[in-house]
Structures are given as structure tokens and as C-alpha cells.
């Protein structure tokens, strides 16, 4: 099959090149409109995941622009004052951003679900008072406030829809 396709493509190479060049030239005037049609997130698709997100927003007041900061250490636990200080130092500039609706941590919720069993990893859930596209626009400036290396024995990694989509868009 591929042999025949290759033979066909070689035999009719100039008509194929002319066809694609013509199609390209015809599409050029439409190209500027593409950017306005692109959306972040799940879009307007009628999928189960989109319906679940809509239900969470309507019934529980959840926001679709939420991301998680994962704090971990190989040497100290969440009960150590250095761990608490590092976490507070990392979260302080984020909490000052007006678009940050709420930051939930083990320390302000005492939820054991936010802590690993060995107590060396914990999470901070950052909720933004924005839609997903606005959250993605804001995220790069929030990311710049995060430590770039392990400081005080604690590493910080951002994860969730917004950081992942933001990294994909950047790539």
C-alpha cells in the first residue's frame, strides 16, 4: 500500500505541490481569525468531565481555575518549624495576589488528606477567582514567585490543569 502511495506521490508531485500551495494561499486570509477561535480548558464540549466541572461550580461554588502546590522534603516533616516557615514563605506572595480567592493547606484546614502518610509531603490548593483562560494568563506571574530550587530542605512543585496547560502552551 505504501509503495503504491509513494509511486503515486512521485508521479504526480507537481500537481500535489500546486494543490497544497493553492490551499495554503486560499487559507491565508482566514489565519488571523484562528487565534480568536481557540480556547483553553475543555471548551464547549458536552463531555462528562465538563458536566462534572459545571456541577462542581454550580453546587459547591468550586472554581475551575485551581492548582495544587506540592511541598516535599527528604529530611524534615510537616511538624518541623523549618517546613512550616518555608511553606509560609512560598505562599505569602501568592496569597497577596488579589485574584487568589483561597489557599487551603493542612495548617489552615487540618485535613489529613493533604498530608502523606510519612508526613514529608503536603499540598496547598490555590483557588483563583478567575475563569480557566484568565487563570492561565495569571499563572506565569504566580510561577515566578515560586522557589526555583530546594530551599530550606523543602521542594515545591506546581501541578493541576492550569500549570499543565500553561506549560503546554509555552512549549
Amino acid at each position: 500500500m505504501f509503495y503504491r502511495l509513494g509511486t503515486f506521490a512521485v508521479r504526480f508531485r507537481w500537481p500535489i505541490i500546486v494543490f497544497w500551495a493553492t490551499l495554503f494561499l486560499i487559507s491565508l486570509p482566514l489565519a488571523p481569525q484562528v487565534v480568536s477561535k481557540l480556547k483553553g480548558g475543555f471548551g464547549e464540549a458536552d463531555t462528562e468531565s465538563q458536566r462534572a466541572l459545571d456541577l462542581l461550580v454550580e453546587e459547591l461554588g468550586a472554581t475551575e481555575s485551581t492548582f495544587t502546590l506540592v511541598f516535599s522534603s527528604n529530611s524534615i516533616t510537616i511538624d518541623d518549624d523549618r517546613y512550616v516557615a518555608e511553606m509560609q514563605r512560598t505562599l505569602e506572595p501568592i496569597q497577596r495576589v488579589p485574584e487568589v480567592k483561597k489557599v487551603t493547606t493542612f495548617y489552615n484546614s487540618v485535613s489529613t488528606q493533604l498530608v502523606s502518610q510519612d508526613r514529608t509531603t503536603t499540598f496547598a490548593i490555590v483557588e483563583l477567582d478567575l475563569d480557566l483562560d484568565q487563570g492561565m494568563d495569571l499563572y506565569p506571574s504566580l510561577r515566578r514567585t515560586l522557589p526555583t530550587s530546594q530551599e530550606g530542605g523543602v521542594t515545591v512543585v506546581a501541578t493541576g490543569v492550569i500549570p499543565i496547560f500553561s506549560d503546554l502552551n509555552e512549549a
Side-chain angles (χ1 to χ4, degrees), residues 84-99:
V84 177
E86 183 60 31
M87 211 169 156
Q88 288 173 340
R89 188 181 71 75
T90 301
L91 293 175
E92 184 182 347
I94 291 173
Q95 290 171 320
R96 286 194 306 246
V97 174
E99 293 85 1

Side-chain angles (χ1 to χ4, degrees), residues 36-56:
S36 66
K37 301 293 182 195
L38 295 176
K39 291 184 71 168
F42 297 108
E44 302 300 322
D46 186 28
T47 61
E48 287 182 23
S49 58
Q50 184 61 51
R51 289 193 299 272
L53 282 173
D54 293 343
L55 190 61
L56 285 170

Side-chain angles (χ1 to χ4, degrees), residues 10 14 17 28 48 52-53 58 67 69 75-76 81 84 97 99 108-109 111 115 143-144 150 164:
V10 169
W14 292 114
I17 291 171
L28 274 179
E48 287 182 23
L53 282 173
E58 291 170 17
F67 64 94
L69 296 175
S75 58
I76 57 177
D81 289 338
V84 177
V97 174
E99 293 85 1
N108 65 15
S109 71
S111 172
V115 180
R143 180 175 49 198
R144 284 190 288 276
Q150 185 172 352
I164 291 170

